[in-house]
Amino acid sequence: MQKAELIRKELRKTGKYMMEYGLAWGTAGNISARTNNDEYVITASGTYLGELEDSDLVVCSLSGEAVAWDVQKQLDSSKKPSKETPMHRAIYENRPEIGAVLHASPFYTTLVACSSIEIPSNWFVETMYYLERVERVGYHHPGTLTLGEAVAEKAKAANILLLENHGVLVYDVNIKEARMALQTLEMACKMLITSRSANVEMNGLSLEVEKDFLENAGYKPRRDW
């Protein structure tokens, strides 16, 4: 199986995973993955992530144009890429090492995105790694070039962008890592809101411990910022 086909299969699997674990709902959200230096595949406009077909994935170039994936396999060339393409493209253009971008509106994460609450990264191993850099992007209408430009400004500063009053954008070197980051984020936000509601005071690790983990624990290679 060729690389492009494997990526498309993994995206369909990820869409179903996101629905099953409450990371996406309805037709909200869109996901993409880079297939080569100049192209990426993204879900079509209005698709339901839990039931993606191969024809629901559209190949785009970094110039913004939809392109034919393969004349023999392009099942429905009439489908348009998600209108959120500008912010996906902004990530790929500014972060050449990024292999996948997930945009969704999980309940707890979106709740935090609609507030001024800061998300701690020092609670446990996964938050230290996956939530090391979280930035906020002010509200812009979905699918607009201004949203894409705002994302481009923050793309190099983090691997998670909270889109205020909108949702979240998570990106990483491959689909699996991006999926894990999204699930870790939603779990952390759920813990954050639940602990506040129950008046439970959370004890975070010190900055020294967090830094030591990131530099020496060997859990995963430290990100190259």
Side-chain angles (χ1 to χ4, degrees), residues 30-32 40-44 56-58 60 81-82 84-85 88:
N30 33 81
I31 59 180
S32 69
Y40 60 97
V41 61
I42 188 170
T43 46
D56 294 321
L57 301 172
V58 182
C60 292
S82 168
E84 298 282 25
T85 296
H88 286 255

Side-chain angles (χ1 to χ4, degrees), residues 101-210:
V101 179
L102 309 180
H103 167 51
S105 303
F107 181 85
Y108 289 97
T109 297
T110 305
L111 192 158
V112 172
C114 293
S115 73
S116 298
I117 300 173
E118 293 299 319
I119 304 171
S121 63
N122 62 343
W123 279 356
F124 48 90
V125 168
E126 286 77 13
T127 58
M128 285 191 288
Y129 177 73
Y130 288 108
L131 309 187
E132 183 185 358
R133 299 280 181 98
V134 179
E135 291 281 338
R136 284 179 174 269
V137 174
Y139 179 80
H140 298 275
H141 293 324
T144 59
L145 291 177
T146 54
L147 176 57
E149 291 167 356
V151 166
E153 289 180 5
K154 296 290 185 72
K156 294 181 179 179
N159 66 302
I160 291 175
L161 297 180
L162 288 178
L163 307 176
E164 294 184 344
N165 301 92
H166 185 169
V168 68
L169 199 63
V170 175
Y171 43 100
D172 218 310
V173 293
N174 56 48
I175 298 171
K176 182 179 180 180
E177 286 294 284
R179 189 170 62 226
M180 183 63 191
L182 179 61
Q183 189 167 32
T184 299
L185 174 66
E186 178 67 356
M187 176 61 73
C189 288
K190 184 176 182 178
M191 290 177 64
L192 178 60
I193 299 303
T194 302
S195 64
R196 284 188 168 213
S197 300
N199 292 318
V200 174
E201 185 175 348
M202 302 293 287
N203 297 320
L205 298 166
S206 69
L207 289 175
E208 290 76 15
V209 170
E210 188 174 10

Side-chain angles (χ1 to χ4, degrees), residues 68-81:
W69 169 51
D70 185 307
V71 174
Q72 300 301 319
K73 299 177 182 178
Q74 189 71 30
L75 302 180
D76 188 350
S77 59
S78 66
K79 290 195 175 183
K80 296 180 180 180

Side-chain angles (χ1 to χ4, degrees), residues 79-100:
K79 290 195 175 183
K80 296 180 180 180
S82 168
K83 71 175 184 178
E84 298 282 25
T85 296
M87 64 181 183
H88 286 255
R89 186 170 69 246
I91 297 298
Y92 293 126
E93 287 178 338
N94 287 278
R95 296 286 295 276
E97 82 282 13
I98 293 301

